[in-house]
Amino acid sequence: MTFSHHHPHSERRISTIFLVLLAVMAASGYALWANWGSSPRVGVFIFVVAGWLVSLCLHEYAHARTALHSGDISVGTKGYLTLNPLKYTHPIYSFVMPLVFIILGGIALPGGAVFIERGRIQGKWKHSLISAAGPLTNAVFALVLLLPLSLSDPLNTGHGYFFSALGYLALLQVMATVLNLVPMPGLDGYGIVEPWLSYENRRAFANLAPYGMMIIFLLLWNPTIGGWFFNDVIYVILGWFGHSDVYASAGSGLFHFFNFNLGSIFGH
């Protein structure tokens, strides 16, 4: 069954911007693997930023693709299926702010920014699934990064910088998955439960949505809450995968060379 009359090929063509991000991620990853360059910190920074932006594109694409199969055929004309970060409704919310959050605080919060025409979609489960698709993508991305990490030994590898970069990017993906499942208005976790709430509750919570991401950021900025979250949630999950927590900690130190991240403050 073809949808060519609805979806011209250009609506599905992967954007040059996304391909450039992938190329930057691959090139910086290879440079770290081969120990090229005088400053591995710069290589780690470029690899993690490119990888994080790639994951944000995939996160938004997953929402759009799920919406398409649930009945919202408008996502194609909006350009959401091209993986172009500039096509999303709020490039600031979707890309700039999440990038600032990881650079300043090491906090991974993808912004929700595909505009789904919910009226076209029938059934609460479909609405929940569209919201769940984003965090699931981060979870899969995290697993892809964690599997090679779980097989390597930090003491015997000659590619420590590469694995540290991989570890820190994996930490961000794990964090993005966990945080996005928090049922806070404005985050995907709330989007999963929202269809099941009463109309009155949905209206009440809607006012919080623009501030949800910032509320989570400020909560994690609190040393007690942030320390608990990093040490007892994120690093514990990473610890299930070999020495991923060790690599993530090293990668965090290399990435935040201006020493501003929460992880270093809390003993990691």
PDB file of all heavy atoms in Angstrom, residues 1 23 44 67 71 81 98 109-110 114 125 136 149 166 176 180 196-197 206 214 251 261 268:
ATOM      1  N   MET A   1       0.853  -1.199   0.000  1.00  0.00           N
ATOM      2  CA  MET A   1       0.000   0.000   0.000  1.00  0.00           C
ATOM      3  C   MET A   1       0.883   1.241   0.000  1.00  0.00           C
ATOM      4  O   MET A   1       1.760   1.386   0.847  1.00  0.00           O
ATOM      5  CB  MET A   1      -0.867  -0.025   1.271  1.00  0.00           C
ATOM      6  CG  MET A   1      -1.896   1.086   1.335  1.00  0.00           C
ATOM      7  SD  MET A   1      -2.899   0.893   2.832  1.00  0.00           S
ATOM      8  CE  MET A   1      -3.929   2.324   2.666  1.00  0.00           C
ATOM      9  N   ALA A  23      27.680  12.849  10.710  1.00  0.00           N
ATOM     10  CA  ALA A  23      29.068  12.846  10.232  1.00  0.00           C
ATOM     11  C   ALA A  23      30.016  13.412  11.283  1.00  0.00           C
ATOM     12  O   ALA A  23      31.113  12.884  11.502  1.00  0.00           O
ATOM     13  CB  ALA A  23      29.168  13.647   8.935  1.00  0.00           C
ATOM     14  N   VAL A  44      35.815  14.981  23.010  1.00  0.00           N
ATOM     15  CA  VAL A  44      34.709  14.441  23.811  1.00  0.00           C
ATOM     16  C   VAL A  44      33.519  15.394  23.760  1.00  0.00           C
ATOM     17  O   VAL A  44      32.369  14.979  23.570  1.00  0.00           O
ATOM     18  CB  VAL A  44      35.149  14.202  25.283  1.00  0.00           C
ATOM     19  CG1 VAL A  44      33.945  13.898  26.172  1.00  0.00           C
ATOM     20  CG2 VAL A  44      36.164  13.062  25.350  1.00  0.00           C
ATOM     21  N   ALA A  67       2.780   9.140  15.512  1.00  0.00           N
ATOM     22  CA  ALA A  67       1.563   9.908  15.229  1.00  0.00           C
ATOM     23  C   ALA A  67       1.055   9.619  13.814  1.00  0.00           C
ATOM     24  O   ALA A  67      -0.153   9.476  13.584  1.00  0.00           O
ATOM     25  CB  ALA A  67       1.835  11.399  15.401  1.00  0.00           C
ATOM     26  N   GLY A  71      -2.703   8.057  12.778  1.00  0.00           N
ATOM     27  CA  GLY A  71      -3.748   8.768  12.054  1.00  0.00           C
ATOM     28  C   GLY A  71      -3.487  10.238  11.742  1.00  0.00           C
ATOM     29  O   GLY A  71      -4.262  10.859  11.033  1.00  0.00           O
ATOM     30  N   LEU A  81       9.226  14.312   9.435  1.00  0.00           N
ATOM     31  CA  LEU A  81       9.774  12.999   9.097  1.00  0.00           C
ATOM     32  C   LEU A  81      11.140  13.107   8.422  1.00  0.00           C
ATOM     33  O   LEU A  81      11.685  12.105   7.972  1.00  0.00           O
ATOM     34  CB  LEU A  81       8.787  12.244   8.191  1.00  0.00           C
ATOM     35  CG  LEU A  81       7.389  12.034   8.798  1.00  0.00           C
ATOM     36  CD1 LEU A  81       6.448  11.400   7.781  1.00  0.00           C
ATOM     37  CD2 LEU A  81       7.458  11.188  10.064  1.00  0.00           C
ATOM     38  N   PRO A  98      17.708  22.237  25.656  1.00  0.00           N
ATOM     39  CA  PRO A  98      18.308  20.971  26.093  1.00  0.00           C
ATOM     40  C   PRO A  98      19.837  20.980  26.007  1.00  0.00           C
ATOM     41  O   PRO A  98      20.517  20.390  26.843  1.00  0.00           O
ATOM     42  CB  PRO A  98      17.710  19.947  25.124  1.00  0.00           C
ATOM     43  CG  PRO A  98      16.405  20.539  24.725  1.00  0.00           C
ATOM     44  CD  PRO A  98      16.655  22.026  24.662  1.00  0.00           C
ATOM     45  N   LEU A 109      17.428  16.852  29.365  1.00  0.00           N
ATOM     46  CA  LEU A 109      15.980  17.022  29.232  1.00  0.00           C
ATOM     47  C   LEU A 109      15.618  17.321  27.788  1.00  0.00           C
ATOM     48  O   LEU A 109      15.805  18.444  27.338  1.00  0.00           O
ATOM     49  CB  LEU A 109      15.513  18.195  30.106  1.00  0.00           C
ATOM     50  CG  LEU A 109      15.094  17.904  31.533  1.00  0.00           C
ATOM     51  CD1 LEU A 109      14.756  19.203  32.234  1.00  0.00           C
ATOM     52  CD2 LEU A 109      13.891  16.971  31.573  1.00  0.00           C
ATOM     53  N   PRO A 110      15.129  16.340  27.045  1.00  0.00           N
ATOM     54  CA  PRO A 110      14.670  16.664  25.699  1.00  0.00           C
ATOM     55  C   PRO A 110      13.392  17.483  25.798  1.00  0.00           C
ATOM     56  O   PRO A 110      12.533  17.185  26.625  1.00  0.00           O
ATOM     57  CB  PRO A 110      14.367  15.309  25.067  1.00  0.00           C
ATOM     58  CG  PRO A 110      14.850  14.290  26.019  1.00  0.00           C
ATOM     59  CD  PRO A 110      14.971  14.937  27.363  1.00  0.00           C
ATOM     60  N   VAL A 114       7.041  18.402  18.851  1.00  0.00           N
ATOM     61  CA  VAL A 114       6.337  18.139  17.594  1.00  0.00           C
ATOM     62  C   VAL A 114       4.868  18.429  17.855  1.00  0.00           C
ATOM     63  O   VAL A 114       4.313  18.002  18.860  1.00  0.00           O
ATOM     64  CB  VAL A 114       6.510  16.699  17.055  1.00  0.00           C
ATOM     65  CG1 VAL A 114       7.867  16.526  16.416  1.00  0.00           C
ATOM     66  CG2 VAL A 114       6.298  15.665  18.126  1.00  0.00           C
ATOM     67  N   TRP A 125      -5.023   4.892  24.016  1.00  0.00           N
ATOM     68  CA  TRP A 125      -3.748   4.169  23.944  1.00  0.00           C
ATOM     69  C   TRP A 125      -2.835   4.767  22.880  1.00  0.00           C
ATOM     70  O   TRP A 125      -1.622   4.836  23.065  1.00  0.00           O
ATOM     71  CB  TRP A 125      -3.990   2.678  23.658  1.00  0.00           C
ATOM     72  CG  TRP A 125      -4.443   1.930  24.868  1.00  0.00           C
ATOM     73  CD1 TRP A 125      -5.703   1.449  25.128  1.00  0.00           C
ATOM     74  CD2 TRP A 125      -3.645   1.600  26.014  1.00  0.00           C
ATOM     75  NE1 TRP A 125      -5.736   0.850  26.358  1.00  0.00           N
ATOM     76  CE2 TRP A 125      -4.487   0.912  26.928  1.00  0.00           C
ATOM     77  CE3 TRP A 125      -2.306   1.815  26.360  1.00  0.00           C
ATOM     78  CZ2 TRP A 125      -4.037   0.439  28.157  1.00  0.00           C
ATOM     79  CZ3 TRP A 125      -1.853   1.342  27.590  1.00  0.00           C
ATOM     80  CH2 TRP A 125      -2.714   0.673  28.469  1.00  0.00           C
ATOM     81  N   LEU A 136      11.230   6.082  24.714  1.00  0.00           N
ATOM     82  CA  LEU A 136      11.644   4.745  24.272  1.00  0.00           C
ATOM     83  C   LEU A 136      12.834   4.831  23.331  1.00  0.00           C
ATOM     84  O   LEU A 136      13.738   3.989  23.372  1.00  0.00           O
ATOM     85  CB  LEU A 136      10.478   4.034  23.559  1.00  0.00           C
ATOM     86  CG  LEU A 136       9.442   3.369  24.464  1.00  0.00           C
ATOM     87  CD1 LEU A 136       8.279   2.834  23.637  1.00  0.00           C
ATOM     88  CD2 LEU A 136      10.068   2.237  25.274  1.00  0.00           C
ATOM     89  N   LEU A 149      30.107  -0.712  25.989  1.00  0.00           N
ATOM     90  CA  LEU A 149      30.755  -0.292  27.237  1.00  0.00           C
ATOM     91  C   LEU A 149      30.798  -1.437  28.241  1.00  0.00           C
ATOM     92  O   LEU A 149      31.779  -1.605  28.977  1.00  0.00           O
ATOM     93  CB  LEU A 149      30.004   0.886  27.861  1.00  0.00           C
ATOM     94  CG  LEU A 149      30.194   2.248  27.207  1.00  0.00           C
ATOM     95  CD1 LEU A 149      29.218   3.254  27.799  1.00  0.00           C
ATOM     96  CD2 LEU A 149      31.621   2.752  27.383  1.00  0.00           C
ATOM     97  N   LEU A 166      31.594   7.849  25.040  1.00  0.00           N
ATOM     98  CA  LEU A 166      30.446   6.952  24.881  1.00  0.00           C
ATOM     99  C   LEU A 166      29.680   6.840  26.195  1.00  0.00           C
ATOM    100  O   LEU A 166      28.442   6.879  26.231  1.00  0.00           O
ATOM    101  CB  LEU A 166      30.956   5.566  24.457  1.00  0.00           C
ATOM    102  CG  LEU A 166      30.186   4.765  23.413  1.00  0.00           C
ATOM    103  CD1 LEU A 166      30.011   5.557  22.133  1.00  0.00           C
ATOM    104  CD2 LEU A 166      30.899   3.453  23.131  1.00  0.00           C
ATOM    105  N   ALA A 176      17.771  11.131  30.139  1.00  0.00           N
ATOM    106  CA  ALA A 176      16.667  11.637  29.316  1.00  0.00           C
ATOM    107  C   ALA A 176      15.475  10.692  29.385  1.00  0.00           C
ATOM    108  O   ALA A 176      14.321  11.126  29.465  1.00  0.00           O
ATOM    109  CB  ALA A 176      17.124  11.801  27.866  1.00  0.00           C
ATOM    110  N   ASN A 180      12.161  11.991  31.311  1.00  0.00           N
ATOM    111  CA  ASN A 180      11.017  12.199  30.438  1.00  0.00           C
ATOM    112  C   ASN A 180       9.825  11.350  30.811  1.00  0.00           C
ATOM    113  O   ASN A 180       8.719  11.588  30.343  1.00  0.00           O
ATOM    114  CB  ASN A 180      11.408  11.934  28.984  1.00  0.00           C
ATOM    115  CG  ASN A 180      11.177  13.156  28.139  1.00  0.00           C
ATOM    116  OD1 ASN A 180      10.132  13.776  28.244  1.00  0.00           O
ATOM    117  ND2 ASN A 180      12.127  13.502  27.324  1.00  0.00           N
ATOM    118  N   TRP A 196      -5.819   9.816  30.063  1.00  0.00           N
ATOM    119  CA  TRP A 196      -6.618   9.060  31.022  1.00  0.00           C
ATOM    120  C   TRP A 196      -7.167   9.962  32.143  1.00  0.00           C
ATOM    121  O   TRP A 196      -7.886   9.488  33.024  1.00  0.00           O
ATOM    122  CB  TRP A 196      -5.771   7.923  31.609  1.00  0.00           C
ATOM    123  CG  TRP A 196      -5.146   7.111  30.517  1.00  0.00           C
ATOM    124  CD1 TRP A 196      -3.949   7.340  29.908  1.00  0.00           C
ATOM    125  CD2 TRP A 196      -5.715   5.979  29.855  1.00  0.00           C
ATOM    126  NE1 TRP A 196      -3.727   6.415  28.907  1.00  0.00           N
ATOM    127  CE2 TRP A 196      -4.791   5.565  28.860  1.00  0.00           C
ATOM    128  CE3 TRP A 196      -6.912   5.261  30.009  1.00  0.00           C
ATOM    129  CZ2 TRP A 196      -5.032   4.480  28.024  1.00  0.00           C
ATOM    130  CZ3 TRP A 196      -7.145   4.171  29.178  1.00  0.00           C
ATOM    131  CH2 TRP A 196      -6.212   3.795  28.194  1.00  0.00           C
ATOM    132  N   LEU A 197      -6.792  11.245  32.123  1.00  0.00           N
ATOM    133  CA  LEU A 197      -7.256  12.172  33.165  1.00  0.00           C
ATOM    134  C   LEU A 197      -8.590  12.805  32.779  1.00  0.00           C
ATOM    135  O   LEU A 197      -8.941  12.851  31.601  1.00  0.00           O
ATOM    136  CB  LEU A 197      -6.216  13.288  33.377  1.00  0.00           C
ATOM    137  CG  LEU A 197      -4.818  12.867  33.815  1.00  0.00           C
ATOM    138  CD1 LEU A 197      -3.908  14.091  33.883  1.00  0.00           C
ATOM    139  CD2 LEU A 197      -4.853  12.163  35.158  1.00  0.00           C
ATOM    140  N   ALA A 206      -2.658  21.981  32.333  1.00  0.00           N
ATOM    141  CA  ALA A 206      -2.163  22.599  31.092  1.00  0.00           C
ATOM    142  C   ALA A 206      -1.396  23.889  31.384  1.00  0.00           C
ATOM    143  O   ALA A 206      -0.437  24.230  30.678  1.00  0.00           O
ATOM    144  CB  ALA A 206      -3.323  22.885  30.145  1.00  0.00           C
ATOM    145  N   MET A 214      11.573  23.526  33.146  1.00  0.00           N
ATOM    146  CA  MET A 214      12.358  24.386  34.035  1.00  0.00           C
ATOM    147  C   MET A 214      12.214  23.958  35.495  1.00  0.00           C
ATOM    148  O   MET A 214      13.178  24.001  36.265  1.00  0.00           O
ATOM    149  CB  MET A 214      11.909  25.840  33.856  1.00  0.00           C
ATOM    150  CG  MET A 214      12.840  26.855  34.484  1.00  0.00           C
ATOM    151  SD  MET A 214      14.564  26.679  33.929  1.00  0.00           S
ATOM    152  CE  MET A 214      14.571  27.665  32.460  1.00  0.00           C
ATOM    153  N   GLY A 251      33.956  10.619  31.420  1.00  0.00           N
ATOM    154  CA  GLY A 251      33.464  11.412  30.296  1.00  0.00           C
ATOM    155  C   GLY A 251      32.852  12.720  30.758  1.00  0.00           C
ATOM    156  O   GLY A 251      33.033  13.764  30.127  1.00  0.00           O
ATOM    157  N   ASN A 261      29.625  20.975  36.240  1.00  0.00           N
ATOM    158  CA  ASN A 261      28.534  20.005  36.253  1.00  0.00           C
ATOM    159  C   ASN A 261      28.230  19.478  37.652  1.00  0.00           C
ATOM    160  O   ASN A 261      29.055  19.455  38.539  1.00  0.00           O
ATOM    161  CB  ASN A 261      28.855  18.827  35.317  1.00  0.00           C
ATOM    162  CG  ASN A 261      29.904  17.928  35.905  1.00  0.00           C
ATOM    163  OD1 ASN A 261      30.921  18.398  36.371  1.00  0.00           O
ATOM    164  ND2 ASN A 261      29.651  16.646  35.899  1.00  0.00           N
ATOM    165  N   HIS A 268      31.275  12.306  41.746  1.00  0.00           N
ATOM    166  CA  HIS A 268      31.497  11.422  40.593  1.00  0.00           C
ATOM    167  C   HIS A 268      32.474  12.089  39.642  1.00  0.00           C
ATOM    168  O   HIS A 268      32.263  13.183  39.210  1.00  0.00           O
ATOM    169  CB  HIS A 268      30.183  11.140  39.877  1.00  0.00           C
ATOM    170  CG  HIS A 268      29.461   9.985  40.483  1.00  0.00           C
ATOM    171  ND1 HIS A 268      29.932   8.705  40.404  1.00  0.00           N
ATOM    172  CD2 HIS A 268      28.338   9.923  41.240  1.00  0.00           C
ATOM    173  CE1 HIS A 268      29.136   7.892  41.048  1.00  0.00           C
ATOM    174  NE2 HIS A 268      28.143   8.612  41.569  1.00  0.00           N
TER     175      HIS A 268
END
